[in-house]
């Protein structure tokens, strides 16, 4: 990889007709990729997938990736030459190039946006301004002031200076007027230098001089030791670590011996010890041995065989297994099969929260042949994982959505666990891809297989199974003969009242919690809202505090004593005076996880209670730490949001309480019944997983909601039949494709006008499929007003293709109009 290099100006290239051209992807949202010419001296080294240095505009430099090479000169413009080749080997492989192209076309974004999402930050070079001495200048320094003269003289000596160096020389941050004067006088010019940000991790090892490896020499040294007792103590600590650890790291030696660097230097100066710097991996190493020591049940063995048979005729198979049926054990067996074939495996999970528990299980079986990749990794760690996957050193990867964009070299299998989960869909920024659907395309490029796993599959996936597009394998019983938990509905209107007011609990849930704690079992309480209270209400006039930047109410967080907007993150002091009537009397309406945690502690003061939500679980290892505590029964009651729902396996949980099911059942979305069933069934699946009678209590006001019966009976198929009939009647997926187009602007009338102009432009072609323009439920976020159009397009590839072309063309037409140039158009294909 290229290191810090200063490059010559464009004029240094010989001017001659180019014979080769490169289409280059740069990390910008350009409507199409730009073309550069390839100088003759680079033509034998350039290849697709390699990084190159290019200039766009007058001076802006980028590290782009070559998509393709060709010999026919582009028409309409004269391409600039490439500046430099930054790699000896391609950064991405042909399958990734094809994947980026597909994502851009299918999800209506640019390949630059895909590159921005896919490539680790430390492999995307950054530019830093550099002052370059102008060798051709012949000006005198007579009219320069002292500061200008200092910089001019330094430039003449060093030939180049970074802005940070200029600041140090002048001991001042106000350097721009000085730089401008020097540029105007042609003493120097500004250049943008590309800086490689990835740095290898170095570790300092301490070595024993070879002559003291001979036992007699070492004994003589120790027996004839004179003064310097601290150096003797340090040497003895070194010998101990050498014997127990094999290698000695400087930091560990100093910690063990409680010695200083100066004392260590004394031993180095005497020639007894020496120092060696080595490059080391940031990725934790585990045993190399593969150790598969699980026993599949008869049902699991049958399912495993059925999956293998299905892969003989189908690329995609759905493993529909009830909660705690042992799907993970089948995944492990499949991973072993593909690693034995020297193939790579990608194991996708929808949430980072899930990876910590499963990675521990997988590392027991696969050692360091499996890696982990998600957004909590730092930039340098991501580069190292990227390189290990590209070279094939890592055979299996466990990761969230972004791991799908890694450069696999020989992919054999993708497992998408909890395939129904909405977290697989990227929201902002672009590319707004769905990891499950993208995984199926990516696997096809390698002729690899895809296993989708879920206890509550998405309606679209199950429909594809019914249409014979995907294979279907069913696991209908829990592992180890455990029973599915008993479901009980409790009327939320009959909550228990204490001296402190009405609680969030019914008598039924409280009595079951008390009994469970007496049996030394654990409890999970699920509420789909974080914070203490979703909104405050003026008792006199009904005024509710809203965010200044978004059209949403503010959530009260008691631990911070702040009001917070969950859309833009703004925080406000707690309101004590009504803005409308001046009253000082406010009441808290509804409740979040914070309030549940507080009431649990009041009612069960001896219980160990913890909360798992976005506010309480932050940092790279916070999820793992909390999950380990719960696994080790150091927590009795875990209160949480969706983080506690998805795929976590806890042995001692006997009771799950869904505190407010009304909040799940009352969203305005065509997927509301499907999502409600999935959430309730998934969270209930945490109960009674290990040969115990689990129980789930659902607190709800509308006891007759049709979905509740499906949940009580654990009957996914009845939910599917109920939903598929409604989807067909109202023309929703899987019978159509949805495309949502949002128009955002700081002025409401501009956003509305733009949406109307856009809809009129596509009405002749897509009018029969169009809903809107209209305002969404939340019509202002971060001071941007929103209008939207929803397209329900028939599942006809020709119509879908024409629709996407029309959307792209109309977007370009709209933004050529000066009035709407600042309108942000967001196209979301297959929105959640």
């Amino acid at each position: 990889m290229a290191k810090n290099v200063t490059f010559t100006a464009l004029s240094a290239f010989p001017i001659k007709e180019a014979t080769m051209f490169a289409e280059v992807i740069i990390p910008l949202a350009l409507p199409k990729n730009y073309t550069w010419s390839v100088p003759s001296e680079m033509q034998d080294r350039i290849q697709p997938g390699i990084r190159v240095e290019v200039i766009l505009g007058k001076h802006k430099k980028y590290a782009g990736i070559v998509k393709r090479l060709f010999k026919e000169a582009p028409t309409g413009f004269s391409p600039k030459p490439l500046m430099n080749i930054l790699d000896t080997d391609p950064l991405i492989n042909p399958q990734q190039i094809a994947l980026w192209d597909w994502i851009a076309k299918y999800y209506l974004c640019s390949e630059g946006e895909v590159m921005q999402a896919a490539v680790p930050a430390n492999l995307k070079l950054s530019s830093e301004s550099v002052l370059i001495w102008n060798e051709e200048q012949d000006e005198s320094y007579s009219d320069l002031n002292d500061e200008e003269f200092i910089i001019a003289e330094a430039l003449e000596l060093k030939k180049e200076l970074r802005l940070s160096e200029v600041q140090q020389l002048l001991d001042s941050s106000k350097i721009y007027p000085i730089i401008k004067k020097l540029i105007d006088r042609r003493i120097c010019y500004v250049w943008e230098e590309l800086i490689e940000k990835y740095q290898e991790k170095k570790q300092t090892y301490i070595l024993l001089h070879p002559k003291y490896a001979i036992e007699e020499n070492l004994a003589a040294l120790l027996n004839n030791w004179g003064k310097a007792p601290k150096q003797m103590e340090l040497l003895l600590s070194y010998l101990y670590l050498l014997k127990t650890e094999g290698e000695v790291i400087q930091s560990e030696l100093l910690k063990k011996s409680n010695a200083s660097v100066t004392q260590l230097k004394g031993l180095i100066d005497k020639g007894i010890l020496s120092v060696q710097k080595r490059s080391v991996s940031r990725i934790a190493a585990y045993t190399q041995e593969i150790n598969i020591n699980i026993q599949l049940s008869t049902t699991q063995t049958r399912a495993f065989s059925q999956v293998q048979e299905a892969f003989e005729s189908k690329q995609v198979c759905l493993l529909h297994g009830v909660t705690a049926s042992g799907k993970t054990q089948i995944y492990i067996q499949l991973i072993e099969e593909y690693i034995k074939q020297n193939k790579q495996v990608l194991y996708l999970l929808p949430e980072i929260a899930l990876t910590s528990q499963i990675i521990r299980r997988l590392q027991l079986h696969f050692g360091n042949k499996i890696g982990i990749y998600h957004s909590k990794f730092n930039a340098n760690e991501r580069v190292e994982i990227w390189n290990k996957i590209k070279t094939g050193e890592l055979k299996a990867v466990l990761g969230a959505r972004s791991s799908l964009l890694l450069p696999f070299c020989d992919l054999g299998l993708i497992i998408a666990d909890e395939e129904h989960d909405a977290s697989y869909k990227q929201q902002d920024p672009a590319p707004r891809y769905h990891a499950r659907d993208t995984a199926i395309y990516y696997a096809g490029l390698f002729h690899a297989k895809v296993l989708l796993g879920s206890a509550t599959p998405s309606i679209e996936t199950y429909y594809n199974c019914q249409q014979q597009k995907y294979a279907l394998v069913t696991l209908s019983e829990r592992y180890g003969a455990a029973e599915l938990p008993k479901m009980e509905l409790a009327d939320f209107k009959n909550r228990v009242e204490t001296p402190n007011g009405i609680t969030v609990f019914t008598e039924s849930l409280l009595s079951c919690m008390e009994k469970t704690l007496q049996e030394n079992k654990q409890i999970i309480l699920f509420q789909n809202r974080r914070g203490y209270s979703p909104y405050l209400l003026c008792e006199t006039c009904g005024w509710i505090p809203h965010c200044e930047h978004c059209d949403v109410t503010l959530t009260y967080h008691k631990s911070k004593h702040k009001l917070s907007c969950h859309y833009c993150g703004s925080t406000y002091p707690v309101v004590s005076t009504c803005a409308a009537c001046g009253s000082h009397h406010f009441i808290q309406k509804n409740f979040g996880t914070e309030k549940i945690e507080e009431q649990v502690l009041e009612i069960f003061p001896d219980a160990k209670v913890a909360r798992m939500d976005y506010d309480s679980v932050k940092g790279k290892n916070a999820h793992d730490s909390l999950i380990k505590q719960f696994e080790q029964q150091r927590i009795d009651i875990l209160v949480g949001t969706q983080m506690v729902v998805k795929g976590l396996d806890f042995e001692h949980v006997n009771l799950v309480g869904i505190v407010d099911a009304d909040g799940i059942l009352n969203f305005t979305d065509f997927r509301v019944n499907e999502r409600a069933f999935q959430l309730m069934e998934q969270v209930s699946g945490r109960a009674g997983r290990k040969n115990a009678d689990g129980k789930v209590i659902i607190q709800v006001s509308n006891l007759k909601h049709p979905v509740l019966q499906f949940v009580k009976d654990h009957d996914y198929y009845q939910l599917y039949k109920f939903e598929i009939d409604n989807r067909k009647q109202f023309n929703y997926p899987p019978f159509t494709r949805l495309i949502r187009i949002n128009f955002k602007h700081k002025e409401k009338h501009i956003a509305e006008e733009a949406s109307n102009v856009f809809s009129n432009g596509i009405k002749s072609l897509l009018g029969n499929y169009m809903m809107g323009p209209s305002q969404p439920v939340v019509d202002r976020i971060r001071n941007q007003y929103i209008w939207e159009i929803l397209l329900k397009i028939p599942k006809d590839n020709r119509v879908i293709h024409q629709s996407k072309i029309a959307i792209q063309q109309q977007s370009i037409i709209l933004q050529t109009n000066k009035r709407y140039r600042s309108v942000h158009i967001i196209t979301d294909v297959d929105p959640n």
Side-chain angles (χ1 to χ4, degrees):
M1 294 181 188
K3 296 297 179 185
N4 299 3
V5 184
T6 302
F7 305 108
T8 54
L10 281 173
S11 58
F13 285 107
I15 301 171
K16 59 183 178 182
E17 191 175 343
T19 58
M20 184 182 287
F21 301 90
E23 181 185 337
V24 179
I25 305 166
I26 60 174
L28 294 178
L30 299 176
K32 60 180 285 189
N33 295 328
Y34 198 73
T35 297
W36 280 265
S37 65
V38 183
S40 57
E41 65 272 20
M42 297 183 190
Q43 292 182 8
D44 60 340
R45 293 183 291 132
I46 197 165
Q47 55 183 306
I50 216 160
R51 288 181 304 170
V52 291
E53 181 187 2
V54 298
I55 289 186
L56 190 68
K58 290 186 177 180
H59 302 293
K60 199 64 180 174
K61 298 175 85 177
Y62 295 94
I65 293 176
V66 177
K67 181 180 180 181
R68 67 185 182 98
L69 299 166
F70 53 96
K71 293 193 173 181
E72 187 178 339
T75 57
F77 71 100
S78 179
K80 296 177 182 177
L82 298 176
M83 297 296 299
N84 199 9
I85 293 176
L86 302 174
D87 302 311
T88 53
D89 298 309
L91 184 73
I92 64 172
N93 55 40
Q95 289 87 352
Q96 269 189 299
I97 293 174
L99 178 68
W100 291 11
D101 181 73
W102 179 83
I103 290 175
K105 287 174 180 172
Y106 186 87
Y107 291 104
L108 296 179
C109 62
S110 70
E111 287 177 81
E113 289 170 312
V114 183
M115 176 186 171
Q116 187 73 2
V119 178
N122 279 8
L123 292 178
K124 291 178 291 199
L125 304 188
S126 66
S127 58
E128 183 181 332
S129 295
V130 179
L131 296 182
I132 304 293
W133 168 253
N134 183 5
E135 298 283 1
E136 298 177 359
Q137 72 88 28
D138 55 3
E139 300 278 338
S140 69
Y141 298 164
S142 57
D143 63 338
L144 299 182
N145 64 29
D146 291 347
E147 290 178 326
E148 292 160 356
F149 181 81
I150 290 169
I151 302 305
E153 194 172 46
L155 274 168
E156 189 172 3
L157 289 171
K158 289 192 68 178
K159 305 305 179 189
E160 62 178 68
L161 289 174
R162 288 194 175 84
L163 297 194
S164 55
E165 293 174 311
V166 175
Q167 289 176 333
Q168 288 173 358
L169 281 170
L170 299 180
D171 194 22
S172 170
S173 59
K174 297 177 181 178
I175 61 174
Y176 293 101
I178 297 163
I179 292 170
K180 186 177 184 303
K181 176 75 173 289
L182 297 177
I183 292 169
D184 290 345
R185 288 282 311 276
R186 299 182 74 249
I187 291 170
C188 65
Y189 57 93
V190 176
W191 195 243
E192 296 289 315
E193 182 180 23
L194 288 182
I195 308 297
E196 181 95 51
K197 290 186 285 186
Y198 171 66
Q199 297 292 331
E200 287 184 333
K201 183 179 180 181
K202 298 284 188 179
Q203 193 79 271
T204 303
Y205 285 83
I206 305 300
L207 307 179
L208 186 66
H209 192 283
K211 76 176 181 181
Y212 296 115
I214 300 168
E215 198 168 319
E216 294 82 0
N217 293 345
L218 181 61
L221 173 70
L222 296 174
N223 291 334
N224 297 302
W225 197 272
K227 295 180 180 180
K230 282 300 293 182
Q231 287 185 9
M232 166 67 99
E233 188 180 335
L234 194 154
L235 180 58
L236 291 173
S237 295
Y238 171 83
L239 295 171
Y240 172 80
L241 287 173
L242 186 65
K243 187 173 182 179
T244 56
E245 303 293 330
E247 294 183 308
V248 181
I249 298 169
Q250 178 177 302
S251 57
E252 292 177 1
L253 173 60
L254 295 178
K255 184 178 179 182
K256 171 77 177 171
S257 61
N258 196 27
S260 67
V261 175
T262 304
Q263 289 158 348
L264 175 61
K265 188 175 183 299
L267 289 175
I268 293 168
D269 291 342
K270 289 176 181 178
I272 299 169
L273 299 178
S274 62
V275 175
Q276 186 182 80
K277 289 265 189 185
R278 297 183 197 165
S279 296
V280 296
S281 173
R282 292 178 171 85
I283 312 305
Y286 300 87
T287 173
Q288 291 276 1
E289 297 298 318
I290 294 182
N291 179 26
I292 306 297
N293 55 3
I294 57 177
Q295 292 295 319
L296 297 184
S297 68
T298 304
T299 308
Q300 286 175 313
T301 303
R302 188 186 311 119
F304 177 69
S305 298
Q306 289 173 343
V307 169
Q308 289 181 308
E309 289 170 15
F311 281 156
E312 291 177 10
S313 57
K314 304 277 188 187
Q315 185 207 354
V316 184
C317 177
L318 169 65
L319 179 59
H320 180 201
V322 296
T323 55
S325 58
K327 294 187 290 296
T328 305
Q329 291 160 317
I330 293 174
Y331 300 156
I332 290 170
Q333 291 282 18
L334 279 168
I335 293 169
E336 180 196 18
E337 291 284 318
Y338 280 88
I339 289 179
K340 281 181 179 177
Q341 298 170 30
N342 209 28
K343 296 281 188 180
Q344 291 177 306
V345 179
L346 172 59
Y347 187 155
L348 285 171
L349 286 164
E351 292 275 5
I352 297 168
L354 291 176
T355 58
S356 55
Q357 192 181 48
I358 292 178
I359 193 67
R360 292 199 299 274
R361 294 176 65 180
L362 295 182
Q363 281 165 344
L364 285 174
H365 299 296
F366 300 109
N368 66 353
K369 290 197 179 295
I370 190 159
I372 183 169
Y373 188 86
H374 55 60
S375 60
K376 295 288 183 183
F377 274 41
N378 68 42
N380 282 322
E381 287 173 327
R382 291 191 195 196
V383 172
E384 294 195 8
I385 294 171
W386 177 282
N387 290 332
K388 285 176 184 284
I389 291 166
K390 187 161 74 82
T391 59
E393 183 180 339
L394 269 180
K395 289 299 176 189
V397 177
L398 174 73
R401 183 178 61 228
S402 58
S403 60
L404 183 64
L405 301 173
L406 289 167
F408 292 91
C409 58
D410 193 9
L411 190 60
L413 174 69
I414 298 179
I415 297 168
D417 198 14
E418 311 294 346
E419 67 82 27
H420 64 275
D421 199 284
S423 298
Y424 276 129
K425 181 71 161 75
Q426 164 74 7
Q427 301 299 332
D428 282 311
R432 295 173 180 84
Y433 66 100
H434 197 297
R436 177 198 62 213
D437 301 339
T438 305
I440 292 170
Y441 179 83
Y442 194 27
L445 297 173
F446 290 92
H447 305 290
K449 304 299 181 182
V450 179
L451 182 64
L452 308 176
S454 178
T456 55
S458 68
I459 298 296
E460 289 91 334
T461 295
Y462 204 79
Y463 177 79
N464 282 331
C465 293
Q466 299 299 307
Q467 299 297 307
Q468 308 296 313
K469 185 176 179 182
Y470 301 164
L472 173 63
V473 174
T474 303
L475 268 172
S476 54
E477 61 185 54
R478 283 188 151 188
Y479 181 75
E483 295 292 324
L484 286 166
K486 296 179 178 66
M487 314 289 281
E488 179 183 315
L489 301 182
D491 193 337
F492 192 54
K493 294 189 286 292
N494 300 328
R495 285 171 288 162
V496 173
E497 190 166 356
T498 67
N500 293 329
I502 297 176
T503 68
V504 300
F505 304 111
T506 58
E507 180 63 45
S508 175
L509 181 53
L510 278 180
S511 61
C512 283
M513 288 172 69
E514 189 170 0
K515 181 184 175 186
T516 304
L517 291 172
Q518 287 170 356
E519 295 171 349
N520 292 319
K521 296 294 184 180
Q522 291 172 296
I523 300 164
I524 289 176
L525 297 176
F526 169 69
Q527 167 64 347
N528 208 26
R529 291 192 189 97
R530 59 189 174 95
Y532 190 84
S533 175
Y535 59 96
L536 302 180
L537 178 75
C538 173
E539 207 169 5
T540 306
C541 71
W543 177 78
I544 300 171
H546 275 65
C547 177
E548 294 174 2
H549 314 294
C550 310
D551 186 26
V552 292
T553 58
L554 295 171
T555 300
Y556 173 52
H557 288 254
K558 192 171 185 178
S559 60
K560 304 173 189 172
H561 195 58
K562 294 280 186 185
L563 294 175
S564 177
C565 174
H566 287 177
Y567 279 77
C568 70
S570 299
T571 57
Y572 303 82
V574 175
V575 176
S576 57
T577 303
C578 175
C581 70
S583 170
H584 302 296
H585 301 290
F586 284 86
I587 54 175
Q588 294 163 359
K589 298 295 287 183
N590 226 312
F591 57 91
T593 50
E594 231 182 347
K595 188 169 186 176
I596 295 172
E597 181 186 28
E598 180 184 89
Q599 291 195 359
V600 168
L601 286 165
E602 286 175 2
I603 298 167
F604 302 104
D606 297 327
K608 291 166 285 186
V609 183
R611 176 163 49 91
M612 183 187 276
D613 58 25
Y614 178 80
D615 300 312
S616 65
V617 182
K618 292 184 177 178
K620 183 176 175 180
N621 300 311
H623 290 102
D624 196 26
S625 174
L626 188 54
I627 288 165
K628 280 181 181 175
Q629 289 178 55
F630 197 60
E631 284 177 329
Q632 295 161 4
Q633 290 187 278
R634 288 188 280 157
I635 297 168
D636 300 316
I637 303 172
L638 182 62
V639 180
T641 56
Q642 291 190 40
M643 288 182 179
V644 302
V645 175
K646 304 169 181 177
L648 295 172
D649 188 1
F650 300 119
E651 190 169 340
H652 303 286
V653 174
N654 265 24
L655 175 65
V656 167
I658 298 174
V659 184
D660 179 19
D662 294 302
I664 306 169
L665 291 162
N666 295 331
F667 282 120
T668 53
D669 186 88
F670 78 94
R671 287 192 176 95
V672 62
N673 291 334
E674 176 188 6
R675 293 275 162 78
F677 179 89
Q678 288 166 344
L679 271 173
M680 288 189 275
E681 186 68 14
Q682 289 284 339
V683 76
S684 71
R686 304 316 106 205
R689 295 175 74 90
K690 303 291 180 183
N691 300 313
D693 293 329
K695 189 167 187 179
V696 180
I697 295 179
I698 302 171
Q699 297 188 156
V700 63
S701 300
N702 182 7
L703 296 167
K704 294 185 178 180
H705 196 289
V707 170
L708 294 174
Q709 190 58 50
F710 305 143
V711 174
K712 277 188 71 177
D713 297 338
H714 301 286
D715 195 337
Y716 172 81
Y717 190 63
Q718 288 303 317
L719 168 90
Y720 170 76
K721 289 202 298 185
F722 177 77
E723 276 298 287
I724 207 73
D725 290 343
N726 288 333
R727 301 278 184 94
K728 190 170 187 177
Q729 182 181 350
F730 294 104
N731 232 18
Y732 277 106
F735 301 102
T736 57
R737 287 265 187 233
L738 297 186
I739 300 178
R740 184 173 59 217
I741 308 157
N742 279 1
F743 303 84
K744 294 185 177 182
H745 197 268
K746 62 184 178 181
E747 294 183 42
K748 185 176 181 179
H749 69 280
I750 296 289
E752 182 181 5
E753 281 179 31
S755 66
N756 281 308
V757 170
F758 191 98
S759 66
N760 290 332
I762 62 172
K763 189 175 289 184
S764 60
L765 180 65
L766 304 175
N768 293 335
Y769 315 134
M770 188 165 55
M771 298 173 63
S774 61
Q775 291 177 276
V777 175
V778 179
D779 68 347
R780 182 170 63 99
I781 299 174
R782 295 185 178 91
N783 291 321
Q784 296 278 307
Y785 289 93
I786 307 168
W787 281 75
E788 70 177 25
I789 294 170
L790 184 66
L791 297 172
K792 292 182 183 177
I793 304 169
K795 288 184 75 174
D796 179 313
N797 288 336
R798 184 183 59 82
V799 176
I800 293 169
H801 179 66
Q802 288 176 344
S803 302
K804 288 180 177 180
I805 290 173
I807 290 166
Q808 289 176 313
Q809 289 176 340
Q810 194 58 37
S811 298
I812 294 168
I813 291 168
L814 186 72
Q815 299 210 299
T816 55
N817 186 324
K818 189 176 179 181
R819 183 171 176 81
Y820 308 122
R821 196 167 294 160
S822 56
V823 174
H824 191 198
I825 305 171
I826 298 170
T827 306
D828 192 0
V829 179
D830 300 337
N832 266 342

